[in-house]
Amino acid sequence: MSSTLGQTMDSPNHTNMDPTVFFLLGIPGLEQFHLWLSLPVCCLGTATIVGNITILVVVATEPALHKPVYLFLCMLSTIDLAASLSTVPKLLAILWCGAGHISASACLTQMFFIHAFCMMESTVLLAMAFDRYVAICHPLRYATILTDTIIARIGVVAMVRGSLLMLPCPFLIGRLRFCESHVIPHTYCEHMAVVKLACGDTRPNRVYGLTAALLVIGVDLFCIGLSYALIAQAVLRLSSHEARSKALGTCGSHVCVILISYTPALFSFFTHRFGHHVPLHIHILLANVYLLFPPALNPVVYGVKTKEIRERVVKVFQRGQGTGIRASE
């Protein structure tokens, strides 16, 4: 295996007959810009870690923020951190030094976690839409509907749903034979990018991948749209303009996060299956935008648009500065 791996690293275009090793090529056509592209990746990765850890620390240390909407935000931050850690280290290794070699088992593991985390995030975004629906349409029942037990169950459902829907994919790929190139023209082990390398009948993989994506993106977007349609209906019934503005203002952060998360996801999904004339590097850049931007921007959106979090973040930093000044004295 060591000789095959060496050949693969020296010449990524080499047809690799070793079924236990793949090679992630990075962004085909933009190899000369890999080092420059690593700069925004580093910035986004750092912003993801700092921003989401800040959200988790602030919510955990402030009892006033122990509310359903912020607990769902903590779930989102945890998923974003995990998804980033499953992609960014390998992506930087590829961009910095072309270290694209990856074992088949590691590739399938990365594939499982990346797609499972994306499905979990979609479930949490749906739960956050339900939270806004209950808060605006049934405010008197809010505390009795979204109890701590219900929130915990929603978190478990998100994990189980993402894991179960993604679980068959590695096994379906495991049955395939890769009789030609093992070079994956991508920055991570994306499901369809790996399936396209296989020889033989890949219809079960394609059908299941499309079905799983539609079950998550299609169902969740429909339910989110339905929630906001009911919210809009309830808000329009309010007689006071100030009350309408306040009600819609509580949804602003969630709507921004939905747009940030689903827009690149839908672009990537449709260009991968129907955009046959879209250049490969454009598709791969879109796929990376989908994985890198939402985890980095979600904490910023909630930090800027949510007064409670913004005030608590300032309070935590002021407390830290005060402790540092007292220690120096």
Side-chain angles (χ1 to χ4, degrees), residues 246-269:
K246 184 178 180 181
L248 292 175
T250 63
C251 302
S253 299
H254 185 242
V255 171
C256 289
V257 168
I258 288 173
L259 293 175
I260 291 170
S261 299
Y262 282 111
T263 302
L266 290 172
F267 269 110
S268 179
F269 176 79

Side-chain angles (χ1 to χ4, degrees), residues 1 35 37 41 46 61 75 94 120 127 133-134 151 165 213 216 225 228 231 251 255 260 270 273 276 281 298 306:
M1 182 187 299
L35 194 59
L37 289 170
V41 171
T46 302
T61 56
M75 292 182 194
I94 294 169
M120 293 177 199
Y133 163 74
V134 175
I151 294 169
L165 281 174
V216 175
Y228 276 101
I231 288 172
C251 302
V255 171
I260 291 170
F270 285 116
R273 285 163 176 81
H276 302 298
H281 66 274
N298 290 347
T306 307

